């Protein structure tokens, strides 16, 4: 296991700050790192495109900027461990960073499409189920591997409307070091773990990335896997997380908190919602103020009940494909892909 000089940077903003704006400001974006942040030189940096391609490419940042059409994509980038805290406290202990609901950011990303870069190289592989495009960053050691890598299905990468980018900009500014300067992958709808930062190599290949974080992390293990030992036989047979599930949160009040009625007797519940994978947009968010008995499709909720009463609020999002959140999602050892109802229990209404 590589020894790191220090602890990797991992942080999330206060949820109130995250939901204050539709586009997440760069400084509010969560940070998730399995290793130290590398200092890369944008002028000498190269991205190699290799593997099952007709022509190997070595692209500079200027090449990526000038030789390919630049696309703007607004999408959420979400850690698969987002909301792990809820799985931990509402279901059962899990392993992993105690992310609350803010390990997600909705940003505008700019750069060439991965599809255009792959077409320039000429993919020489059938788009069968096993064919993947792997991304690598060899610039820093990680806690469990000597490099960081991930992969997505080749078919997804080649779909024009999947909008997979080699992002050079975040919210119209060059990427910051924390978020992957000078270039990172952005994979709309797919777990953040595949959005490789400080990208230096793209490989078209007949299998998934062999990196630790694709093979031994970010998987929804079956419930029988309850510790490292019982999990060991499942890593190899459990698929790596790709698409994230439909989700929503209640973010303006916490469990045990207080909501004040406005002059009309209403209380406001707010949060965010995300579709599953590329099944967006979210078409409906329902809110319950009685622990799931009844639901209203509104942002403003009429508080009935007596003053001073406590209530349990839930939120439930549904996307265009009809995917909707379960009350609680399946427990898994690593606490990934939690998408149970957004909730705030025992809220006092004043
Ligand atoms: N090179 C590299 N890329 C990486 C990671 C990493 O540790 N190293 N972490 C991944 C994970 S798990 C997530 S959730 C996102 C986080 O991106 P952010 O730090 O910009 O929020 O980056 C992904 N890309
Ligand atoms: Mo992540």
């Amino acid at each position: 296991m590589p020894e790191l000089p220090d602890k990797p940077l991992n942080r999330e903003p206060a949820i109130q700050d995250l939901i204050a704006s539709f586009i997440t400001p760069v400084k509010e974006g969560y940070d998730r790192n399995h290793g130290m942040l590398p200092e890369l030189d944008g002028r000498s940096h190269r991205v190699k495109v290799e593997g099952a391609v007709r022509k190997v490419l070595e692209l500079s940042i200027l090449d990526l900027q000038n030789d390919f059409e630049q696309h703007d994509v607004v999408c959420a980038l979400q850690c698969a461990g987002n909301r792990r805290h809820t799985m931990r406290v509402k279901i059962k202990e899990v392993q992993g960073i105690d992310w609350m609901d803010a390990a997600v950011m909705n940003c505008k990303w700019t750069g060439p499409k991965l599809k255009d870069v792959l077409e320039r190289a000429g993919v020489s592989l059938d788009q069968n189920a096993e064919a993947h495009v792997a991304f690598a960053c060899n610039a820093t050691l990680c806690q469990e591997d000597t490099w960081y890598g991930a992969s997505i299905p080749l078919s997804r990468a080649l779909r024009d409307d999947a909008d997979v980018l080699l992002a050079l900009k975040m919210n119209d500014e060059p990427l910051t070091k924390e978020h992957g300067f000078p270039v990172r992958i952005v994979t709309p709808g797919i777990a953040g773990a595949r959005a490789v930062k400080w990208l230096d190599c793209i490989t078209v290949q007949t299998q998934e990335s062999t990196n630790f974080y694709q093979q031994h992390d970010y998987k929804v293990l079956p419930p029988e896997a309850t510790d490292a030992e019982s999990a060991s036989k499942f890593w190899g047979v459990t698929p790596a997380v790709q698409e994230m599930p439909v989700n929503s949160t209640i973010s303006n009040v916490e469990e045990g908190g207080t909501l004040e009625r406005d002059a009309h007797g209403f209380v406001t519940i707010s949060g965010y919602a995300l579709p599953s994978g590329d099944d967006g947009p979210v078409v409906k968010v329902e809110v319950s103020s009685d622990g799931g008995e009844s639901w209203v499709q509104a942002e403003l909720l009429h508080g009935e009940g007596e003053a001073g009463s406590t209530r349990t609020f839930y939120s439930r999002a549904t996307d265009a494909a009809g995917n909707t959140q379960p009350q609680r999602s399946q427990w898994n050892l690593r606490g990934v892909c939690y998408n149970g109802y957004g909730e705030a229990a025992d809220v006092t209404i004043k």
Side-chain angles (χ1 to χ4, degrees), residues 99-171:
W99 293 116
M100 307 300 282
D101 293 350
V104 55
M105 53 188 168
N106 193 47
C107 297
K108 176 179 170 191
W109 308 96
T110 308
K113 283 191 185 182
L114 173 61
K115 169 182 174 283
D116 293 346
V117 171
L118 291 178
E119 278 173 6
R120 178 81 51 99
V123 171
S124 59
L125 194 65
D126 284 347
Q127 287 181 47
N128 60 32
E130 276 78 52
H132 266 230
V133 185
F135 314 119
C137 160
N138 294 285
T140 55
L141 292 177
C142 291
Q143 286 161 308
E144 336 278 348
D145 208 328
T146 53
W147 54 294
Y148 189 86
S151 67
I152 63 170
L154 176 63
S155 55
R156 176 82 168 221
L158 291 178
R159 249 182 50 203
D160 189 49
D161 65 353
D163 285 336
V164 181
L165 290 188
L166 276 68
L168 307 170
K169 291 182 176 173
M170 177 176 176
N171 297 349

Side-chain angles (χ1 to χ4, degrees), residues 30 32 34 78-81 99 148 191-193 218:
Y30 77 102
R32 176 64 177 117
H34 293 280
Q78 180 183 201
C79 184
W99 293 116
Y148 189 86
Y218 297 111

Side-chain angles (χ1 to χ4, degrees), residues 49 55 96 112 118 160 176 191-192 234 314 323:
V49 185
K55 190 171 159 224
L118 291 178
D160 189 49
T176 57
F234 291 110
Y314 284 142
N323 303 299

Side-chain angles (χ1 to χ4, degrees), residues 68-82:
F68 298 90
E69 196 182 321
Q70 303 295 294
H71 295 270
D72 291 335
V73 173
V74 173
C75 73
L77 203 161
Q78 180 183 201
C79 184
N82 190 32

Side-chain angles (χ1 to χ4, degrees), residues 46-62:
R46 297 288 181 274
V47 177
K48 207 167 178 189
V49 185
E50 59 181 21
V53 293
R54 290 197 190 85
K55 190 171 159 224
V56 170
L57 307 177
E58 268 202 45
L59 303 166
S60 68
I61 298 305
L62 283 178

